[in-house]
Amino acid sequence: MIPALDGPAGGKRTAADDAQLTALALAARDGDPDAVECFIRSSHRHVWRFVAHLSGETHTADDLAQETFLRALTSLPRFAGRSCARTWLLSIARRVVIDRYRSAAARPRIADVDDWQAVAEHRQPSGLPGFDDGLALSELLDALEGERREAFVLTQLVGLPYADAAAVVGCPIGTVRSRVARARADLIGWLTSAETSAETSAETSVETSAEISVRARQACAA
């Protein structure tokens, strides 16, 4: 299961957070070893979560995150701070995921789900209430169409503003908003369907118990 982010609103970041991370990146660029460590520690959780969801494979997330930071540290001398360091770093992370799958002569999983609706139906929570919320969300996110999942993870889980998410993905901000809205609609639809299915199952169970009780009474009367 992909761990939840710390902090308010599921890991939403503030402008001050972004400014601090950018300052750390610039200090690291200028040779401050403590800044390098702080920069990695401050951004690792978001990078790991992003590559895990983008690739759909949590078991490779550590390697992908490590490769992201190796590339970032190599590229730091060219980082001028004109954009937020978080946006710059996640752009590198996105490229790492894509390059990893291309090197394996396979398309990335972000474009690999053909019948995503069937996958989603298969992965819906099976026991409401009381199912594992984190695991259910992770599985439902995996079932989203790739571009919708990417936009949703960047804005709703990593906490990037829409403009920054658009810069990471390389598309207009309106496209990101549309993808997020459609992802939300998909998730709400699947969860609603799961709740309805659970309620129907519970009603069926009650009816079955009642039938057994009636038959038992009839048997006793006989």
Side-chain angles (χ1 to χ4, degrees):
M1 179 175 65
I2 297 174
L5 292 174
D6 295 329
K12 292 288 188 180
R13 315 309 298 177
T14 66
D17 292 327
D18 288 338
Q20 181 181 30
L21 188 66
T22 300
L24 285 172
L26 291 172
R29 179 200 65 183
D30 294 337
D32 184 340
D34 292 333
V36 172
E37 181 180 351
C38 289
F39 174 70
I40 295 174
R41 187 172 62 247
S42 298
S43 55
H44 184 274
R45 191 171 181 82
H46 281 144
V47 169
W48 190 96
R49 190 179 181 96
F50 178 57
V51 297
H53 277 305
L54 193 60
S55 67
E57 298 178 354
T58 57
H59 65 279
T60 64
D62 287 338
D63 289 342
L64 293 170
Q66 182 179 26
E67 176 64 21
T68 296
F69 283 106
L70 286 174
R71 292 193 189 186
L73 294 178
T74 301
S75 301
L76 265 179
R78 299 189 297 276
F79 178 66
R82 287 188 292 269
S83 63
C84 170
R86 195 181 311 278
T87 302
W88 171 75
L89 186 59
L90 291 177
S91 296
I92 294 174
R94 184 175 188 266
R95 175 55 58 185
V96 166
V97 174
I98 293 173
D99 288 349
R100 175 66 61 91
Y101 281 93
R102 283 179 175 169
S103 68
R107 296 182 63 190
R109 186 172 174 178
I110 56 174
D112 188 42
V113 180
D114 295 326
D115 191 0
W116 52 265
Q117 187 170 6
V119 174
E121 290 171 354
H122 176 69
R123 291 176 170 175
Q124 283 173 354
S126 57
L128 291 173
F131 67 93
D132 188 325
D133 293 337
L135 179 58
L137 176 59
S138 177
E139 291 182 338
L140 288 171
L141 286 174
D142 284 349
L144 284 170
E145 184 273 332
E147 291 180 339
R148 296 179 189 182
R149 179 169 71 246
E150 182 179 45
F152 188 88
V153 170
L154 281 170
T155 59
Q156 307 306 306
L157 300 184
V158 175
L160 285 186
Y162 282 92
D164 290 349
V168 169
V169 176
C171 69
I173 187 172
T175 301
V176 172
R177 292 185 184 278
S178 175
R179 291 173 182 174
V180 171
R182 291 177 180 178
R184 281 198 185 115
D186 288 341
L187 293 171
I188 291 171
W190 297 337
L191 289 172
T192 299
S193 176
E195 290 170 355
T196 301
S197 176
E199 290 171 358
T200 301
S201 177
E203 291 172 358
T204 301
S205 177
V206 170
E207 290 174 359
T208 301
S209 298
E211 291 171 357
I212 293 174
S213 178
V214 169
R215 285 198 298 269
R217 287 197 298 270
Q218 290 174 342
C220 289

